[in-house]
């Protein structure tokens, strides 16, 4: 009974470690009171636990911030989740993640130019993935690769917040690849408690016109990022690739979900694209909204869905043939 769970947790002495996990279904009778008690122990993901979902958590009574020792796997409607596992050593003083309203507020006091992301309303809201809707049949199972620059933290923050607004989004499948060692961009990723990979920035060696002069640098970042995503998810055949200046629409996951069978059936398809020249803030069309409206002079960003064969055959092998830019990547994965 949820009330009994809340009463027990609220009576635990300060400083006591609390280890919790689900068995069978734990959400049906948990209730708001018990969930609130669990959040006070440092949970940031208890509200993502749905019927027949799996969840494991290590918290501490009286801790400040949120625990980094928490995993959740929401279940698809009517089915059981795949389950989650956690193993390792937990310190007596549980570490608090660099996210949550306090960290968000501190970030906004330090950095300027983040607009709505640092509004009073948004700062007071936790940056946690939206729980799945009771009627949704879409389950997020594909890795998401966010291609980011170390100099555009504002765009990255808005992109990640829009991803977190998608019902049922699985944050453990999101990886942000940052071009260059930028503290600001890394702090943005930390606010969302996501995995990030930083690469050293390379210099352009292209002699092309100025508008294309840094194309080889962008290509190098994509090459390293795509190499790494398949190393992180060796059992996955497909992945979604986003640039950090995109704000995804509510149908983002369903768009790629329904086109996945088409990719599997037609081996001549290289990618499925969500690009739309007419997309804007006031329009949500097939997968994402760009910041630009009307005629686009510069492409606002890429939202594509590809497979590992695209990387192995068309990118990995032909990269050095297509790009005459930075060849200083030898020995780097």
């Amino acid at each position: 009974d949820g009330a009994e769970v809340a009463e027990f947790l609220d009576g635990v002495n300060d400083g006591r470690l609390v280890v919790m996990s689900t068995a069978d279904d734990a959400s049906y009778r948990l209730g708001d009171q018990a969930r609130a008690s669990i959040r006070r122990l440092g949970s940031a993901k208890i509200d993502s636990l749905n019927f027949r979902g799996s969840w494991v958590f290590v918290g501490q009574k009286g801790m400040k911030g949120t625990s980094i020792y928490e995993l959740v796997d929401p279940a698809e409607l009517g089915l059981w989740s795949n389950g989650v596992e956690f193993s390792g050593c937990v310190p007596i003083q549980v570490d608090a993640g660099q996210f949550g309203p306090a960290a968000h507020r501190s970030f906004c006091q330090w950095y300027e130019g983040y607009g709505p992301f640092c509004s009073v309303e948004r700062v007071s809201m936790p940056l946690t993935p939206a729980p799945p809707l009771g009627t949704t049949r879409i389950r997020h199972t594909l890795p998401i690769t966010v291609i980011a620059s170390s100099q555009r933290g504002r765009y990255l923050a808005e992109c990640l917040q829009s991803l977190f607004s998608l019902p049922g989004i699985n944050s453990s499948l999101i990886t942000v690849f940052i071009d260059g060692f930028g503290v600001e961009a890394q702090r943005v990723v930390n606010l969302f408690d996501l995995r990030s990979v930083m690469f050293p920035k390379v210099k352009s060696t292209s002699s092309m016109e100025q508008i294309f002069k840094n194309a080889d640098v962008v290509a190098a970042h994509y090459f390293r990022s795509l190499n790494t995503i398949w190393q992180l998810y060796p059992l996955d055949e497909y992945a979604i690739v986003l640039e950090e200046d995109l704000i995804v629409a509510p149908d983002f996951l369903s768009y790629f979900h329904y086109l996945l069978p088409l990719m599997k059936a037609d081996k001549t398809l290289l990618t499925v694209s969500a690009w739309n020249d007419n997309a804007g803030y006031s329009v949500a069309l097939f997968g994402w909204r760009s910041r630009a409206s009307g005629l686009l002079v510069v492409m606002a960003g890429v939202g594509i869905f590809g497979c590992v064969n695209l990387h192995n055959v068309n990118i990995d092998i032909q990269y050095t043939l297509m790009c005459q830019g930075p060849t200083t990547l030898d020995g780097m994965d």
Side-chain angles (χ1 to χ4, degrees), residues 184-215:
E184 182 175 343
Q186 182 59 60
R187 286 196 64 183
V188 170
V189 177
N190 289 345
L191 289 175
F192 293 87
D193 193 30
L194 295 175
R195 171 167 50 193
S196 65
V197 178
M198 278 186 171
F199 296 115
K201 201 168 185 64
V202 298
K203 293 183 178 180
S204 176
T205 60
S206 173
S207 59
M208 294 186 291
E209 296 180 18
Q210 186 62 38
I211 191 172
F212 297 115
K213 188 169 180 58
N214 291 319

PDB file of all heavy atoms in Angstrom, residues 184-215:
ATOM      1  N   GLU A 184      30.890  24.953 -20.816  1.00  0.00           N
ATOM      2  CA  GLU A 184      29.484  25.367 -20.813  1.00  0.00           C
ATOM      3  C   GLU A 184      28.591  24.282 -21.402  1.00  0.00           C
ATOM      4  O   GLU A 184      27.552  23.939 -20.827  1.00  0.00           O
ATOM      5  CB  GLU A 184      29.326  26.670 -21.590  1.00  0.00           C
ATOM      6  CG  GLU A 184      27.904  27.205 -21.589  1.00  0.00           C
ATOM      7  CD  GLU A 184      27.810  28.559 -22.278  1.00  0.00           C
ATOM      8  OE1 GLU A 184      28.857  29.220 -22.459  1.00  0.00           O
ATOM      9  OE2 GLU A 184      26.679  28.958 -22.624  1.00  0.00           O
ATOM     10  N   ALA A 185      28.980  23.740 -22.552  1.00  0.00           N
ATOM     11  CA  ALA A 185      28.183  22.688 -23.177  1.00  0.00           C
ATOM     12  C   ALA A 185      28.111  21.452 -22.280  1.00  0.00           C
ATOM     13  O   ALA A 185      27.062  20.805 -22.160  1.00  0.00           O
ATOM     14  CB  ALA A 185      28.773  22.322 -24.540  1.00  0.00           C
ATOM     15  N   GLN A 186      29.226  21.104 -21.640  1.00  0.00           N
ATOM     16  CA  GLN A 186      29.226  19.951 -20.751  1.00  0.00           C
ATOM     17  C   GLN A 186      28.309  20.171 -19.555  1.00  0.00           C
ATOM     18  O   GLN A 186      27.620  19.258 -19.102  1.00  0.00           O
ATOM     19  CB  GLN A 186      30.651  19.658 -20.271  1.00  0.00           C
ATOM     20  CG  GLN A 186      30.754  18.420 -19.365  1.00  0.00           C
ATOM     21  CD  GLN A 186      30.268  17.161 -20.059  1.00  0.00           C
ATOM     22  OE1 GLN A 186      30.799  16.764 -21.080  1.00  0.00           O
ATOM     23  NE2 GLN A 186      29.235  16.536 -19.506  1.00  0.00           N
ATOM     24  N   ARG A 187      28.273  21.401 -19.029  1.00  0.00           N
ATOM     25  CA  ARG A 187      27.385  21.695 -17.907  1.00  0.00           C
ATOM     26  C   ARG A 187      25.915  21.581 -18.322  1.00  0.00           C
ATOM     27  O   ARG A 187      25.076  21.157 -17.519  1.00  0.00           O
ATOM     28  CB  ARG A 187      27.666  23.097 -17.355  1.00  0.00           C
ATOM     29  CG  ARG A 187      28.961  23.193 -16.551  1.00  0.00           C
ATOM     30  CD  ARG A 187      29.004  24.467 -15.719  1.00  0.00           C
ATOM     31  NE  ARG A 187      27.957  24.482 -14.705  1.00  0.00           N
ATOM     32  CZ  ARG A 187      27.740  25.511 -13.871  1.00  0.00           C
ATOM     33  NH1 ARG A 187      28.501  26.601 -13.975  1.00  0.00           N
ATOM     34  NH2 ARG A 187      26.771  25.465 -12.983  1.00  0.00           N
ATOM     35  N   VAL A 188      25.616  21.952 -19.552  1.00  0.00           N
ATOM     36  CA  VAL A 188      24.243  21.777 -20.045  1.00  0.00           C
ATOM     37  C   VAL A 188      23.866  20.292 -20.039  1.00  0.00           C
ATOM     38  O   VAL A 188      22.792  19.904 -19.570  1.00  0.00           O
ATOM     39  CB  VAL A 188      24.098  22.358 -21.466  1.00  0.00           C
ATOM     40  CG1 VAL A 188      22.757  21.957 -22.075  1.00  0.00           C
ATOM     41  CG2 VAL A 188      24.226  23.876 -21.437  1.00  0.00           C
ATOM     42  N   VAL A 189      24.762  19.456 -20.546  1.00  0.00           N
ATOM     43  CA  VAL A 189      24.498  18.012 -20.572  1.00  0.00           C
ATOM     44  C   VAL A 189      24.335  17.476 -19.148  1.00  0.00           C
ATOM     45  O   VAL A 189      23.454  16.647 -18.876  1.00  0.00           O
ATOM     46  CB  VAL A 189      25.637  17.277 -21.300  1.00  0.00           C
ATOM     47  CG1 VAL A 189      25.408  15.767 -21.265  1.00  0.00           C
ATOM     48  CG2 VAL A 189      25.749  17.750 -22.741  1.00  0.00           C
ATOM     49  N   ASN A 190      25.147  17.956 -18.215  1.00  0.00           N
ATOM     50  CA  ASN A 190      25.056  17.502 -16.827  1.00  0.00           C
ATOM     51  C   ASN A 190      23.706  17.832 -16.202  1.00  0.00           C
ATOM     52  O   ASN A 190      23.196  17.075 -15.369  1.00  0.00           O
ATOM     53  CB  ASN A 190      26.171  18.125 -15.989  1.00  0.00           C
ATOM     54  CG  ASN A 190      27.542  17.564 -16.326  1.00  0.00           C
ATOM     55  OD1 ASN A 190      27.649  16.526 -16.976  1.00  0.00           O
ATOM     56  ND2 ASN A 190      28.592  18.245 -15.899  1.00  0.00           N
ATOM     57  N   LEU A 191      23.120  18.961 -16.595  1.00  0.00           N
ATOM     58  CA  LEU A 191      21.816  19.339 -16.048  1.00  0.00           C
ATOM     59  C   LEU A 191      20.763  18.285 -16.358  1.00  0.00           C
ATOM     60  O   LEU A 191      19.831  18.077 -15.579  1.00  0.00           O
ATOM     61  CB  LEU A 191      21.371  20.688 -16.612  1.00  0.00           C
ATOM     62  CG  LEU A 191      22.122  21.936 -16.133  1.00  0.00           C
ATOM     63  CD1 LEU A 191      21.637  23.160 -16.893  1.00  0.00           C
ATOM     64  CD2 LEU A 191      21.943  22.135 -14.636  1.00  0.00           C
ATOM     65  N   PHE A 192      20.919  17.623 -17.506  1.00  0.00           N
ATOM     66  CA  PHE A 192      19.955  16.604 -17.923  1.00  0.00           C
ATOM     67  C   PHE A 192      20.397  15.195 -17.522  1.00  0.00           C
ATOM     68  O   PHE A 192      19.709  14.222 -17.827  1.00  0.00           O
ATOM     69  CB  PHE A 192      19.746  16.668 -19.434  1.00  0.00           C
ATOM     70  CG  PHE A 192      19.062  17.925 -19.907  1.00  0.00           C
ATOM     71  CD1 PHE A 192      19.791  19.069 -20.186  1.00  0.00           C
ATOM     72  CD2 PHE A 192      17.689  17.961 -20.054  1.00  0.00           C
ATOM     73  CE1 PHE A 192      19.172  20.233 -20.625  1.00  0.00           C
ATOM     74  CE2 PHE A 192      17.049  19.114 -20.487  1.00  0.00           C
ATOM     75  CZ  PHE A 192      17.797  20.259 -20.769  1.00  0.00           C
ATOM     76  N   ASP A 193      21.549  15.089 -16.872  1.00  0.00           N
ATOM     77  CA  ASP A 193      22.073  13.800 -16.422  1.00  0.00           C
ATOM     78  C   ASP A 193      22.201  12.823 -17.599  1.00  0.00           C
ATOM     79  O   ASP A 193      21.792  11.671 -17.519  1.00  0.00           O
ATOM     80  CB  ASP A 193      21.167  13.198 -15.337  1.00  0.00           C
ATOM     81  CG  ASP A 193      21.830  12.016 -14.629  1.00  0.00           C
ATOM     82  OD1 ASP A 193      23.070  12.008 -14.527  1.00  0.00           O
ATOM     83  OD2 ASP A 193      21.104  11.104 -14.178  1.00  0.00           O
ATOM     84  N   LEU A 194      22.805  13.312 -18.684  1.00  0.00           N
ATOM     85  CA  LEU A 194      22.978  12.496 -19.884  1.00  0.00           C
ATOM     86  C   LEU A 194      24.446  12.147 -20.101  1.00  0.00           C
ATOM     87  O   LEU A 194      25.335  12.792 -19.562  1.00  0.00           O
ATOM     88  CB  LEU A 194      22.457  13.251 -21.116  1.00  0.00           C
ATOM     89  CG  LEU A 194      20.959  13.538 -21.172  1.00  0.00           C
ATOM     90  CD1 LEU A 194      20.638  14.401 -22.380  1.00  0.00           C
ATOM     91  CD2 LEU A 194      20.150  12.245 -21.211  1.00  0.00           C
ATOM     92  N   ARG A 195      24.669  11.136 -20.909  1.00  0.00           N
ATOM     93  CA  ARG A 195      26.022  10.764 -21.277  1.00  0.00           C
ATOM     94  C   ARG A 195      26.522  11.696 -22.376  1.00  0.00           C
ATOM     95  O   ARG A 195      25.786  12.073 -23.290  1.00  0.00           O
ATOM     96  CB  ARG A 195      26.068   9.323 -21.782  1.00  0.00           C
ATOM     97  CG  ARG A 195      27.423   8.943 -22.377  1.00  0.00           C
ATOM     98  CD  ARG A 195      27.579   7.468 -22.591  1.00  0.00           C
ATOM     99  NE  ARG A 195      26.464   6.874 -23.299  1.00  0.00           N
ATOM    100  CZ  ARG A 195      26.256   5.560 -23.396  1.00  0.00           C
ATOM    101  NH1 ARG A 195      27.080   4.727 -22.793  1.00  0.00           N
ATOM    102  NH2 ARG A 195      25.236   5.082 -24.066  1.00  0.00           N
ATOM    103  N   SER A 196      27.781  12.086 -22.284  1.00  0.00           N
ATOM    104  CA  SER A 196      28.375  12.931 -23.312  1.00  0.00           C
ATOM    105  C   SER A 196      29.756  12.399 -23.673  1.00  0.00           C
ATOM    106  O   SER A 196      30.417  11.740 -22.871  1.00  0.00           O
ATOM    107  CB  SER A 196      28.488  14.384 -22.844  1.00  0.00           C
ATOM    108  OG  SER A 196      29.382  14.486 -21.751  1.00  0.00           O
ATOM    109  N   VAL A 197      30.163  12.682 -24.904  1.00  0.00           N
ATOM    110  CA  VAL A 197      31.500  12.333 -25.393  1.00  0.00           C
ATOM    111  C   VAL A 197      32.088  13.593 -26.003  1.00  0.00           C
ATOM    112  O   VAL A 197      31.479  14.214 -26.886  1.00  0.00           O
ATOM    113  CB  VAL A 197      31.449  11.209 -26.437  1.00  0.00           C
ATOM    114  CG1 VAL A 197      32.847  10.908 -26.967  1.00  0.00           C
ATOM    115  CG2 VAL A 197      30.816   9.953 -25.846  1.00  0.00           C
ATOM    116  N   MET A 198      33.271  13.992 -25.533  1.00  0.00           N
ATOM    117  CA  MET A 198      33.945  15.173 -26.061  1.00  0.00           C
ATOM    118  C   MET A 198      35.111  14.762 -26.957  1.00  0.00           C
ATOM    119  O   MET A 198      35.868  13.853 -26.604  1.00  0.00           O
ATOM    120  CB  MET A 198      34.479  16.043 -24.921  1.00  0.00           C
ATOM    121  CG  MET A 198      33.454  16.953 -24.286  1.00  0.00           C
ATOM    122  SD  MET A 198      34.252  18.040 -23.072  1.00  0.00           S
ATOM    123  CE  MET A 198      32.895  19.150 -22.723  1.00  0.00           C
ATOM    124  N   PHE A 199      35.221  15.451 -28.094  1.00  0.00           N
ATOM    125  CA  PHE A 199      36.341  15.231 -28.985  1.00  0.00           C
ATOM    126  C   PHE A 199      37.184  16.501 -29.077  1.00  0.00           C
ATOM    127  O   PHE A 199      36.637  17.612 -29.049  1.00  0.00           O
ATOM    128  CB  PHE A 199      35.853  14.878 -30.397  1.00  0.00           C
ATOM    129  CG  PHE A 199      35.089  13.596 -30.490  1.00  0.00           C
ATOM    130  CD1 PHE A 199      33.750  13.592 -30.842  1.00  0.00           C
ATOM    131  CD2 PHE A 199      35.708  12.386 -30.219  1.00  0.00           C
ATOM    132  CE1 PHE A 199      33.044  12.411 -30.939  1.00  0.00           C
ATOM    133  CE2 PHE A 199      35.010  11.192 -30.318  1.00  0.00           C
ATOM    134  CZ  PHE A 199      33.676  11.209 -30.673  1.00  0.00           C
ATOM    135  N   PRO A 200      38.509  16.381 -29.202  1.00  0.00           N
ATOM    136  CA  PRO A 200      39.324  17.578 -29.424  1.00  0.00           C
ATOM    137  C   PRO A 200      38.974  18.212 -30.761  1.00  0.00           C
ATOM    138  O   PRO A 200      38.771  17.516 -31.760  1.00  0.00           O
ATOM    139  CB  PRO A 200      40.751  17.039 -29.403  1.00  0.00           C
ATOM    140  CG  PRO A 200      40.627  15.587 -29.735  1.00  0.00           C
ATOM    141  CD  PRO A 200      39.316  15.149 -29.152  1.00  0.00           C
ATOM    142  N   LYS A 201      38.879  19.529 -30.767  1.00  0.00           N
ATOM    143  CA  LYS A 201      38.500  20.232 -31.990  1.00  0.00           C
ATOM    144  C   LYS A 201      39.671  20.237 -32.974  1.00  0.00           C
ATOM    145  O   LYS A 201      40.816  20.421 -32.575  1.00  0.00           O
ATOM    146  CB  LYS A 201      38.097  21.667 -31.658  1.00  0.00           C
ATOM    147  CG  LYS A 201      37.241  22.323 -32.718  1.00  0.00           C
ATOM    148  CD  LYS A 201      36.652  23.610 -32.190  1.00  0.00           C
ATOM    149  CE  LYS A 201      35.682  24.219 -33.189  1.00  0.00           C
ATOM    150  NZ  LYS A 201      34.506  23.375 -33.418  1.00  0.00           N
ATOM    151  N   VAL A 202      39.372  20.010 -34.248  1.00  0.00           N
ATOM    152  CA  VAL A 202      40.407  20.007 -35.273  1.00  0.00           C
ATOM    153  C   VAL A 202      40.334  21.299 -36.068  1.00  0.00           C
ATOM    154  O   VAL A 202      39.321  21.993 -36.069  1.00  0.00           O
ATOM    155  CB  VAL A 202      40.247  18.793 -36.225  1.00  0.00           C
ATOM    156  CG1 VAL A 202      40.395  17.496 -35.471  1.00  0.00           C
ATOM    157  CG2 VAL A 202      38.891  18.852 -36.928  1.00  0.00           C
ATOM    158  N   LYS A 203      41.416  21.648 -36.736  1.00  0.00           N
ATOM    159  CA  LYS A 203      41.469  22.855 -37.558  1.00  0.00           C
ATOM    160  C   LYS A 203      41.180  22.508 -39.010  1.00  0.00           C
ATOM    161  O   LYS A 203      41.589  21.468 -39.522  1.00  0.00           O
ATOM    162  CB  LYS A 203      42.840  23.515 -37.439  1.00  0.00           C
ATOM    163  CG  LYS A 203      43.136  24.090 -36.065  1.00  0.00           C
ATOM    164  CD  LYS A 203      44.479  24.801 -36.051  1.00  0.00           C
ATOM    165  CE  LYS A 203      44.746  25.417 -34.682  1.00  0.00           C
ATOM    166  NZ  LYS A 203      46.063  26.128 -34.646  1.00  0.00           N
ATOM    167  N   SER A 204      40.505  23.415 -39.678  1.00  0.00           N
ATOM    168  CA  SER A 204      40.189  23.208 -41.084  1.00  0.00           C
ATOM    169  C   SER A 204      41.439  23.337 -41.938  1.00  0.00           C
ATOM    170  O   SER A 204      42.268  24.224 -41.742  1.00  0.00           O
ATOM    171  CB  SER A 204      39.143  24.224 -41.544  1.00  0.00           C
ATOM    172  OG  SER A 204      38.898  24.093 -42.929  1.00  0.00           O
ATOM    173  N   THR A 205      41.563  22.429 -42.884  1.00  0.00           N
ATOM    174  CA  THR A 205      42.651  22.505 -43.863  1.00  0.00           C
ATOM    175  C   THR A 205      42.090  22.697 -45.266  1.00  0.00           C
ATOM    176  O   THR A 205      42.804  22.538 -46.250  1.00  0.00           O
ATOM    177  CB  THR A 205      43.505  21.223 -43.830  1.00  0.00           C
ATOM    178  OG1 THR A 205      42.661  20.092 -44.149  1.00  0.00           O
ATOM    179  CG2 THR A 205      44.111  21.013 -42.456  1.00  0.00           C
ATOM    180  N   SER A 206      40.810  23.049 -45.338  1.00  0.00           N
ATOM    181  CA  SER A 206      40.146  23.176 -46.632  1.00  0.00           C
ATOM    182  C   SER A 206      40.530  24.490 -47.309  1.00  0.00           C
ATOM    183  O   SER A 206      40.674  25.522 -46.665  1.00  0.00           O
ATOM    184  CB  SER A 206      38.630  23.116 -46.455  1.00  0.00           C
ATOM    185  OG  SER A 206      37.975  23.398 -47.668  1.00  0.00           O
ATOM    186  N   SER A 207      40.652  24.446 -48.626  1.00  0.00           N
ATOM    187  CA  SER A 207      40.930  25.643 -49.420  1.00  0.00           C
ATOM    188  C   SER A 207      39.692  26.097 -50.173  1.00  0.00           C
ATOM    189  O   SER A 207      39.781  26.953 -51.069  1.00  0.00           O
ATOM    190  CB  SER A 207      42.066  25.356 -50.410  1.00  0.00           C
ATOM    191  OG  SER A 207      41.707  24.283 -51.279  1.00  0.00           O
ATOM    192  N   MET A 208      38.541  25.548 -49.813  1.00  0.00           N
ATOM    193  CA  MET A 208      37.303  25.902 -50.493  1.00  0.00           C
ATOM    194  C   MET A 208      36.873  27.314 -50.110  1.00  0.00           C
ATOM    195  O   MET A 208      37.460  27.949 -49.234  1.00  0.00           O
ATOM    196  CB  MET A 208      36.209  24.886 -50.141  1.00  0.00           C
ATOM    197  CG  MET A 208      36.480  23.484 -50.667  1.00  0.00           C
ATOM    198  SD  MET A 208      35.086  22.373 -50.390  1.00  0.00           S
ATOM    199  CE  MET A 208      35.139  22.204 -48.613  1.00  0.00           C
ATOM    200  N   GLU A 209      35.805  27.800 -50.752  1.00  0.00           N
ATOM    201  CA  GLU A 209      35.291  29.122 -50.449  1.00  0.00           C
ATOM    202  C   GLU A 209      34.918  29.209 -48.975  1.00  0.00           C
ATOM    203  O   GLU A 209      34.661  28.203 -48.313  1.00  0.00           O
ATOM    204  CB  GLU A 209      34.065  29.421 -51.320  1.00  0.00           C
ATOM    205  CG  GLU A 209      34.378  29.488 -52.806  1.00  0.00           C
ATOM    206  CD  GLU A 209      33.125  29.788 -53.605  1.00  0.00           C
ATOM    207  OE1 GLU A 209      32.145  30.273 -53.012  1.00  0.00           O
ATOM    208  OE2 GLU A 209      33.130  29.531 -54.817  1.00  0.00           O
ATOM    209  N   GLN A 210      34.835  30.436 -48.463  1.00  0.00           N
ATOM    210  CA  GLN A 210      34.631  30.664 -47.046  1.00  0.00           C
ATOM    211  C   GLN A 210      33.368  29.985 -46.517  1.00  0.00           C
ATOM    212  O   GLN A 210      33.358  29.451 -45.414  1.00  0.00           O
ATOM    213  CB  GLN A 210      34.556  32.168 -46.764  1.00  0.00           C
ATOM    214  CG  GLN A 210      34.476  32.523 -45.273  1.00  0.00           C
ATOM    215  CD  GLN A 210      35.711  32.060 -44.514  1.00  0.00           C
ATOM    216  OE1 GLN A 210      36.816  32.138 -45.027  1.00  0.00           O
ATOM    217  NE2 GLN A 210      35.521  31.556 -43.303  1.00  0.00           N
ATOM    218  N   ILE A 211      32.285  29.999 -47.310  1.00  0.00           N
ATOM    219  CA  ILE A 211      31.032  29.419 -46.835  1.00  0.00           C
ATOM    220  C   ILE A 211      31.160  27.925 -46.576  1.00  0.00           C
ATOM    221  O   ILE A 211      30.432  27.354 -45.774  1.00  0.00           O
ATOM    222  CB  ILE A 211      29.892  29.706 -47.842  1.00  0.00           C
ATOM    223  CG1 ILE A 211      28.536  29.336 -47.236  1.00  0.00           C
ATOM    224  CG2 ILE A 211      30.125  28.955 -49.148  1.00  0.00           C
ATOM    225  CD1 ILE A 211      27.361  29.771 -48.070  1.00  0.00           C
ATOM    226  N   PHE A 212      32.105  27.258 -47.260  1.00  0.00           N
ATOM    227  CA  PHE A 212      32.299  25.829 -47.067  1.00  0.00           C
ATOM    228  C   PHE A 212      33.606  25.512 -46.333  1.00  0.00           C
ATOM    229  O   PHE A 212      33.979  24.358 -46.206  1.00  0.00           O
ATOM    230  CB  PHE A 212      32.309  25.099 -48.412  1.00  0.00           C
ATOM    231  CG  PHE A 212      31.021  25.191 -49.165  1.00  0.00           C
ATOM    232  CD1 PHE A 212      30.962  25.853 -50.382  1.00  0.00           C
ATOM    233  CD2 PHE A 212      29.864  24.626 -48.667  1.00  0.00           C
ATOM    234  CE1 PHE A 212      29.778  25.945 -51.079  1.00  0.00           C
ATOM    235  CE2 PHE A 212      28.672  24.706 -49.352  1.00  0.00           C
ATOM    236  CZ  PHE A 212      28.622  25.373 -50.565  1.00  0.00           C
ATOM    237  N   LYS A 213      34.295  26.547 -45.846  1.00  0.00           N
ATOM    238  CA  LYS A 213      35.653  26.357 -45.351  1.00  0.00           C
ATOM    239  C   LYS A 213      35.720  25.394 -44.176  1.00  0.00           C
ATOM    240  O   LYS A 213      36.691  24.660 -44.030  1.00  0.00           O
ATOM    241  CB  LYS A 213      36.266  27.699 -44.949  1.00  0.00           C
ATOM    242  CG  LYS A 213      37.750  27.604 -44.606  1.00  0.00           C
ATOM    243  CD  LYS A 213      38.367  28.958 -44.477  1.00  0.00           C
ATOM    244  CE  LYS A 213      39.843  28.866 -44.143  1.00  0.00           C
ATOM    245  NZ  LYS A 213      40.616  28.119 -45.135  1.00  0.00           N
ATOM    246  N   ASN A 214      34.705  25.388 -43.327  1.00  0.00           N
ATOM    247  CA  ASN A 214      34.729  24.525 -42.148  1.00  0.00           C
ATOM    248  C   ASN A 214      33.953  23.225 -42.356  1.00  0.00           C
ATOM    249  O   ASN A 214      33.674  22.510 -41.390  1.00  0.00           O
ATOM    250  CB  ASN A 214      34.172  25.261 -40.937  1.00  0.00           C
ATOM    251  CG  ASN A 214      35.096  26.380 -40.480  1.00  0.00           C
ATOM    252  OD1 ASN A 214      36.314  26.208 -40.456  1.00  0.00           O
ATOM    253  ND2 ASN A 214      34.531  27.525 -40.137  1.00  0.00           N
ATOM    254  N   ALA A 215      33.593  22.929 -43.604  1.00  0.00           N
ATOM    255  CA  ALA A 215      32.830  21.704 -43.867  1.00  0.00           C
ATOM    256  C   ALA A 215      33.625  20.468 -43.472  1.00  0.00           C
ATOM    257  O   ALA A 215      33.054  19.467 -43.004  1.00  0.00           O
ATOM    258  CB  ALA A 215      32.443  21.636 -45.340  1.00  0.00           C
TER     259      ALA A 215
END
